[in-house]
């Protein structure tokens, strides 16, 4: 595509989209309002009933297998499948219908679009249709490639898994190859839903037609998709740049006037939040709109008429309504700005006390799960150290994370296959810094002695060795050392935590999970330890209302650390102890401008977290 041709194509598509913007906005307001006010609460209510009917208060990563084999679990999966089909109809099929209608100059209501989209849903009940659904719901969130629906934007692979993939060169290489492959698959299947909705094709033929069309016109399709992606990616950057300009002008014009300065910057922040959320809200119809343009530009088959009413498309907003809405919004923004200015310290500078918890003894300060790491964590000022416990063949409890010693010591045996005498001879490499000295495998008793009076310990009862005997023995060791107040027994084994809670109510416990449905705050434990992607403000509030503590694992990147410092959690488990301590000090010393600019960055980051690579394919 030549430069001028690309420019005029993009300008025409943007103009066409703006002319018909109200059609998309009205549909989004109606359907997403229904999802938020009716569908999501109803589905959550049904899920809670099913979980309670199974005798549980919550369903999490530590105890889901038995549930899914029960009638409650089967009904749960059925409800989930129906809901996901409904979301696809709402977020993709109906948008395809709307974008096709406006191009034909037809008027279409939200109800007509939903009905038209619903007629296509039966085509997805087939092996090829299930593949499309699986790709949309599972593969896209896994790798960030494809059309990601707004309604299930929270579906994504847990951060600890992606971190493990990045840290392992072999896994990372496989992951990159997988991404490249799926980018290609996503590219060639990009028009499948258009063929499914707008022509007489089943799911399999729609996929074939999409691949044929994209292959035939791959150059033009790729160029137009890149142009579209560039537009959507650049807009948030422009908003961020304008916000920075606004902050700079505020500093210049209102030097020394703290209250006015805060008010103006807060107003800028409010506008940025509104603009970015509207952009995120309309990103899905925008992508579909452009894809429909690509489809019509290259489609050479007869398009099925969905019998939509023939009437002029609504191309203009009602100016009176628009002025009234903007005026009301301005008043609300000003009131919100005044409130935030008056309570600035409580809103922007409040940071709850957060315990820094070193992951696997000392995080990146020394060889993992060694006394060297524990002592380094003490020197760095960590409040707690998390370590992993396994059992040797002769019954000694050793500190080791992996199933075997292969990764760190070159010994492809499990602790349970070796005696303590054999294990303590192993040298543990420091994978964070190979130039630093290696460490020795230590037993739990040595860690308890080193930690007593110096640092708290989170003892994770790990793997297949984590049974009731391990719980009994570890509790006995903790009591003997008189360290009940300095130790928390944690595990991903839900049944084991319940066993400890029942038999040893005086022992502090923590339950580790990376996904959960239902009210996790009701789980019998003292600490709820969640993967960072599971952190939600309402979840944290419920945990605290139950008198329990909320910890997050494993938080390493500067962005993740900064994003959780004001999340009201009680502690962060990290490999980067010094980096987290530094981030806390830096956060506490921020100026007003830096605080609000940080909120702008978080808001803009929402767009990229949602869209990711899906913009391209």
């Amino acid at each position: 595509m030549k430069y001028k041709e690309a420019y005029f194509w993009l300008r025409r598509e943007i103009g066409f989209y703006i002319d018909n913007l109200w059609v998309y906005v009205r549909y989004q307001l109606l359907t997403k309002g229904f999802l938020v006010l009716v569908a999501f609460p109803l589905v959550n209510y049904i899920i809670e009933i099913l979980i309670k009917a199974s005798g549980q208060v919550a369903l999490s990563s530590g105890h889901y297998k038995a549930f899914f084999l029960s009638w409650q679990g089967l009904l749960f999966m059925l409800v989930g499948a129906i809901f996901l089909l409904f979301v696809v109809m709402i977020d993709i099929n109906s948008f395809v219908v709307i974008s096709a209608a406006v191009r034909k100059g037809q008027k279409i209501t939200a109800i007509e679009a939903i009905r038209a989209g619903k007629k296509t849903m039966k085509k997805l009940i087939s092996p090829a249709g299930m593949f499309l659904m699986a790709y949309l719901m599972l593969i896209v969130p896994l790798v960030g490639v494809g059309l990601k629906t707004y309604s299930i934007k929270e579906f994504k692979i847990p951060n600890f898994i992606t971190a493990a993939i990045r840290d392992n060169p072999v896994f990372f290489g496989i992951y990159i190859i997988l991404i490249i492959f799926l980018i290609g698959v996503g590219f060639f299947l990009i028009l499948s839903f258009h063929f499914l909705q707008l022509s007489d094709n089943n799911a399999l033929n729609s996929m074939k037609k999409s691949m044929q069309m994209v292959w035939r016109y791959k150059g033009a399709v790729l160029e137009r998709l890149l142009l579209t992606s560039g537009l959507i990616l650049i807009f948030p950057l422009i908003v961020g740049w304008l916000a920075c300009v606004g902050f700079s002008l505020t500093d210049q014009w209102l030097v020394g006037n703290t209250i006015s300065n805060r008010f103006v910057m807060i107003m800028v922040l409010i506008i940025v939040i509104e603009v970015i959320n509207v952009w995120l809200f309309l990103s899905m119809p925008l992508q579909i709109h452009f894809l429909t343009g690509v489809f019509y530009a290259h489609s050479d088959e007869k398009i099925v008429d969905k019998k939509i009413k023939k009437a002029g498309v609504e191309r203009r907003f009602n100016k009176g309504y628009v002025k009234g809405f903007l005026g009301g919004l301005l008043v609300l923004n000003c009131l919100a700005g005044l409130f935030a200015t008056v309570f600035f310290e409580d809103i922007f500078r409040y940071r709850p006390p957060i315990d820094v918890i070193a992951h696997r003894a000392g995080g990146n300060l020394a060889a993992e799960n060694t006394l060297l790491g524990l002592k380094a964590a003490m020197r760095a000022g960590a409040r707690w150290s998390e370590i992993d416990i396994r059992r040797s063949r002769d019954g000694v409890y050793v500190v080791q994370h992996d199933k075997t010693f292969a990764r760190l010591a070159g010994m492809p045996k499990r602790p349970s296959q070796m005696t303590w005498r054999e294990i303590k001879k192993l040298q543990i490499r420091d994978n964070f810094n190979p130039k630093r000295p290696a460490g020795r495998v230590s037993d739990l008793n040595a860690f308890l002695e080193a930690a007593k009076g110096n640092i708290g310990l989170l003892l994770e009862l790990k793997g297949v060795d984590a049974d009731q005997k391990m719980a009994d023995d570890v509790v006995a060791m903790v009591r003997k050392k008189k360290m009940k107040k300095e130790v928390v027994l944690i595990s991903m084994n839900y049944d084991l935590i319940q066993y400890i809670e029942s038999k040893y109510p005086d022992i502090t416990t923590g339950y580790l999970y990376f996904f959960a449905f239902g009210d996790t705050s009701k789980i019998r434990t003292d600490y709820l330890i969640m993967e960072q992607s599971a952190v939600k403000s309402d979840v944290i509030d419920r945990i605290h209302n139950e008198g329990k503590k909320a910890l997050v694992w494993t938080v390493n990147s500067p962005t993740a650390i900064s994003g959780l410092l004001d999340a009201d959690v009680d502690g962060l488990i990290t490999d980067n102890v010094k980096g987290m301590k530094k981030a806390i000090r830096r956060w506490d010393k921020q100026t007003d401008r830096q605080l609000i600019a940080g909120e702008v960055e978080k808001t803009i980051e929402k767009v990229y977290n949602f869209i990711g690579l899906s913009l391209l394919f």
Side-chain angles (χ1 to χ4, degrees):
M1 187 189 297
K2 295 181 180 179
Y3 172 79
K4 286 187 178 180
E5 183 183 349
Y7 169 76
F8 285 117
W9 177 84
L10 187 60
R11 190 177 73 172
R12 183 181 69 251
E13 290 297 324
I14 293 173
F16 193 43
Y17 181 76
I18 293 173
D19 284 344
N20 295 281
L21 185 60
W22 177 238
V23 180
Y24 293 111
V25 171
R26 184 178 57 186
Y27 177 82
Q28 280 283 66
L29 290 174
L30 179 63
T31 56
K32 299 311 177 289
F34 175 79
L35 285 173
V36 171
L37 298 177
V38 179
F40 283 129
L42 179 60
V43 170
N44 287 333
Y45 179 69
I46 293 173
I47 288 174
E48 288 181 4
I49 289 177
L50 292 174
I51 292 173
K52 289 179 180 178
S54 69
Q56 305 287 347
V57 295
L59 174 67
S60 67
S61 52
H63 63 298
Y64 63 89
K65 294 180 181 178
F67 175 80
F68 283 119
L69 293 176
S70 66
W71 69 265
Q72 295 96 340
L74 294 175
L75 190 54
F76 173 93
M77 289 186 284
L78 178 62
V79 170
I82 293 173
F83 177 70
L84 291 179
L85 281 168
F86 179 74
V87 167
V88 170
M89 178 184 70
I90 289 293
D91 268 357
I92 296 184
N93 282 356
S94 297
F95 276 133
V96 170
V97 173
I98 293 173
S99 61
V102 297
R103 289 176 182 278
K104 296 177 182 179
Q106 299 172 339
K107 181 180 179 180
I108 181 170
T109 66
I111 299 301
E112 288 171 332
I114 291 173
R115 286 175 180 170
K118 187 175 71 171
K119 291 178 181 178
T120 310
M121 298 309 296
K122 60 184 180 181
K123 296 181 181 179
L124 291 173
I125 306 175
S126 65
M130 291 299 103
F131 173 82
L132 280 176
M133 289 290 294
Y135 185 84
L136 187 70
M137 303 300 176
L138 299 177
I139 299 177
V140 169
L142 177 68
V143 299
V145 179
L147 286 172
K148 186 181 289 187
T149 60
Y150 181 82
S151 302
I152 54 170
K153 60 183 182 298
E154 300 298 334
F155 286 19
K156 60 180 181 179
I157 186 171
N159 294 325
F160 79 95
I161 295 179
T162 57
I165 291 172
R166 288 193 300 268
D167 293 341
N168 187 303
V170 176
F171 289 164
F172 186 67
I174 295 172
Y175 182 65
I176 293 298
I177 294 171
L178 179 64
I179 285 181
I180 294 172
F181 171 75
L182 291 174
I183 284 176
V185 173
F187 177 59
F188 286 103
L189 294 180
I190 195 71
L191 297 175
S192 296
F193 282 96
H194 284 78
F195 280 102
L196 191 71
Q197 185 66 52
L198 301 177
S199 61
D200 283 324
N201 287 294
N202 58 27
L204 181 60
N205 286 335
S206 295
M207 294 164 60
K208 291 180 179 178
K209 293 281 187 180
S210 176
M211 289 188 286
Q212 290 169 358
M213 177 184 286
V214 174
W215 175 255
R216 184 176 179 183
Y217 302 104
K218 51 185 175 293
V221 173
L222 179 60
E223 288 172 337
R224 292 183 179 186
L225 286 176
L226 289 174
L227 280 172
T228 306
S229 304
L231 171 67
I232 299 177
L233 285 168
I234 289 171
F235 180 79
L237 297 179
I238 295 174
V239 172
W241 177 79
L242 290 175
C244 292
V245 171
F247 294 150
S248 298
L249 294 176
T250 300
D251 285 342
Q252 295 175 16
W253 294 341
L254 300 173
V255 177
N257 194 330
T258 303
I259 295 177
S260 298
N261 197 309
R262 286 178 173 178
F263 176 76
V264 173
M265 287 193 295
I266 290 171
M267 290 299 293
V268 172
L269 172 62
I270 290 173
I271 293 171
V272 168
I273 291 174
E274 290 171 346
V275 170
I276 290 299
N277 277 283
V278 169
W279 185 251
L280 186 61
F281 189 62
L282 293 176
S283 62
M284 187 69 184
L286 180 62
Q287 291 180 67
I288 297 293
H289 175 85
F290 281 121
L291 285 174
T292 303
V294 172
F295 175 80
Y296 275 116
H298 302 297
S299 179
D300 55 0
E301 67 174 65
K302 183 180 179 181
I303 304 302
V304 175
D305 187 355
K306 294 292 181 180
K307 296 183 180 180
I308 298 167
K309 295 177 182 178
K310 295 287 183 179
V313 178
E314 296 182 33
R315 294 183 178 275
R316 297 182 180 276
F317 292 94
N318 185 301
K319 292 183 179 180
Y321 290 152
V322 172
K323 289 179 180 179
F325 173 78
L326 293 178
L329 185 62
L330 178 61
V331 172
L332 290 175
N333 285 353
C334 290
L335 291 175
L338 287 171
F339 179 85
T341 302
V342 172
F343 297 98
F344 185 90
E345 297 294 329
D346 295 325
I347 294 173
F348 292 98
R349 290 203 178 277
Y350 170 74
R351 181 184 64 76
I354 294 180
D355 289 338
V356 177
I357 305 166
H359 186 225
R360 300 183 191 174
N364 62 10
L365 298 174
E368 67 178 61
N369 273 322
T370 63
L371 286 174
L372 291 175
L374 181 70
K375 293 174 182 177
M378 295 179 196
R379 293 193 296 270
R383 170 66 183 84
W384 296 85
S385 175
E386 179 270 343
I387 60 174
D388 305 284
I389 312 300
R390 293 183 182 270
R391 187 168 48 228
S392 71
R393 191 174 71 193
D394 51 352
V396 175
Y397 291 102
V398 299
V399 181
Q400 163 70 6
H401 175 271
D402 296 358
K403 292 180 180 179
T404 73
F405 293 103
R407 178 173 63 91
L408 296 174
M411 172 60 71
K413 289 185 178 181
R414 298 171 180 262
S416 58
Q417 296 173 320
M418 302 174 68
T419 64
W420 169 235
R421 183 175 181 179
E422 294 170 328
I423 291 172
K424 65 182 180 180
K425 295 178 181 179
L426 298 176
Q427 294 280 331
I428 303 299
R429 293 190 300 269
D430 186 344
N431 281 353
F432 293 104
N433 185 353
K435 294 181 180 180
R436 292 190 301 218
R440 294 279 188 179
V441 181
S442 296
D443 64 351
L444 176 57
N445 188 63
F447 266 82
L448 291 173
E449 290 180 355
K452 187 174 182 179
N454 298 310
I455 190 171
L457 288 177
L458 301 182
L459 307 181
E460 182 176 354
L461 310 185
K462 197 78 175 176
V464 295
D465 301 324
D467 53 15
Q468 293 183 5
K469 174 176 172 49
M470 176 185 282
D472 294 337
D473 292 345
V474 171
V475 168
M477 294 174 70
V478 170
R479 284 178 170 174
K480 184 177 180 180
K481 296 288 184 183
K482 298 181 180 180
M483 293 179 66
K484 289 194 300 182
K485 294 184 178 180
E486 299 174 72
V487 169
V488 179
L489 267 58
I490 68 176
S491 179
M492 285 186 172
N493 186 330
Y494 178 80
D495 293 332
L496 187 61
I497 292 298
Q498 302 313 295
Y499 170 77
I500 299 171
E501 280 286 321
S502 298
K503 189 171 182 179
Y504 307 107
D506 58 320
I507 296 296
T508 305
T509 64
Y511 175 53
L512 281 153
Y513 66 93
F514 56 85
F515 77 81
F517 299 98
D519 190 357
T520 52
S521 67
K522 301 292 186 181
I523 292 175
R524 286 182 62 196
T525 190
D526 302 296
Y527 285 70
L528 276 301
I529 310 171
M530 65 200 75
E531 205 272 336
Q532 56 182 301
S533 60
V535 176
K536 302 288 186 298
S537 58
D538 60 324
V539 173
I540 304 300
D541 290 340
R542 287 200 300 269
I543 291 172
H544 287 159
N545 290 337
E546 291 291 327
K548 302 173 182 179
K549 293 190 175 183
L551 306 183
V552 186
W553 60 287
T554 302
V555 187
N556 291 328
S557 72
T559 301
I561 292 171
S562 299
L564 290 170
L565 288 181
D566 58 351
D568 209 23
V569 298
D570 299 286
L572 301 176
I573 300 175
T574 182
D575 287 312
N576 190 8
V577 174
K578 290 183 177 179
M580 184 169 288
K581 299 285 286 188
K582 184 178 179 180
I584 292 173
R585 291 192 298 269
R586 186 169 57 246
W587 197 96
D588 290 337
K589 293 179 180 180
Q590 289 181 105
T591 64
D592 291 350
R593 177 178 173 179
Q594 289 172 330
L595 280 169
I596 298 178
E599 295 299 320
V600 171
E601 290 177 5
K602 291 178 189 177
T603 303
I604 294 174
E605 187 180 357
K606 285 172 58 179
V607 179
Y608 296 103
N609 285 340
F610 165 58
I611 298 172
L613 293 176
S614 65
L615 284 173
L616 296 179
F617 303 99

